[in-house]
Amino acid sequence: MQSLPTHERSRAALDPAAASGWRDWFDTQRAAVDRLLSEHLKALAAKAAPHSRLMDAVSYSLLAGGKRLRPILVLECCRVCGGASAGAEPAALALELLHTFSLIHDDLPAMDDDDLRRGRPTNHKVFGEALAILAGDWLAAHAFGLLAAAPVPADVVPRLVAALADGSEAMIAGQAADIAGEERPPDGELVRYIHRHKTAALMETACRLGALCAGAGRPEQDALASFGRHIGLAFQIVDDLLDARGAEAEVGKRVGKDAAAAKQTWPAAFGVAESVAAAEREVAAAVAALVMFGPRAQRLRELAEYVLRREQ
């Protein structure tokens, strides 16, 4: 897919050396999240579901790679607020578990009926529908257990759990609206609702969790939540564009499926040109939300630019 047109970029996004530095940072963060996930599953292997292939199905999807954008947001927002990343690791893992649960269930025949995810067969294609459903169920339940044991002050734990619950409920409501909107004429307001709930809510939750783990005040929490919401909206608009214009080998999943299912998407409701412009507006709004953090938030600014120009 051709890269999205650029708007006024930050200096870091324009400077090849800075861009290379950001890529190294992002790859390091992603590898760290992969390691945390692998170590966590290894620690559970001896006691979790010994009489079935449940944990094989969990591991298949959870360790399949991906951008790890949401857990990285948790860890970096914690750092920006002055916290130590180790204190935010359970929240980062919990959010990635919750996200993986949503992907497994989204791919099911009763939902989006996809047979390819991250360049390989979807969970239910390998393990069957029943075990795929149970793997998603396990991931969602275990995510809240991780938060309950997070190494944060006792009064912060219920706020973490409430934030993840709010984000999860919004995501599920967005998926329900997505399904209900199939085979209906494009509806801009419905598209906005789906994007805000199905995708942006969990990005917003990631940033709020990171701030909470750092003990940040409400202004910092709200500013980072706004950042997450805007990049979540940009992310989903770009995802819609990739489905409409991307190549399957590059995107890592089946493309053209949104149009085939008459899905409610930004390009269907507003056209490609306005979709590109809307994604750029959301990224600009995300960057504007970071003003109070100054240079500390430079990695988040660069991450917002990545969301705009990604091709997967």
Side-chain angles (χ1 to χ4, degrees), residues 265-283:
T265 68
W266 209 276
F270 302 105
V272 168
E274 171 55 24
S275 297
V276 172
E280 295 192 345
R281 287 195 299 270
E282 294 298 342
V283 166

Side-chain angles (χ1 to χ4, degrees), residues 90-101:
L93 294 182
L95 199 49
E96 188 66 4
L97 265 62
L98 210 294
H99 173 57
T100 304
F101 137 72

Side-chain angles (χ1 to χ4, degrees), residues 51-74:
H51 299 293
S52 72
R53 297 191 68 200
L54 175 62
M55 297 311 295
D56 292 336
V58 166
S59 298
Y60 179 82
S61 291
L62 192 59
L63 302 182
K67 293 168 285 296
R68 307 303 191 194
L69 185 58
R70 292 155 189 82
I72 290 173
L73 280 172
V74 176

Side-chain angles (χ1 to χ4, degrees), residues 5 14 37 55 66 69 82 88 100 108 116 125 140 159 173 189 191 196 208 211 239 265 292 294:
L14 290 169
L37 289 167
M55 297 311 295
L69 185 58
T100 304
L108 289 166
L116 194 65
K125 288 291 183 180
R159 295 160 68 191
E189 286 305 310
V191 170
R196 171 70 181 83
R208 191 174 293 280
D239 210 54
T265 68
M292 66 164 23

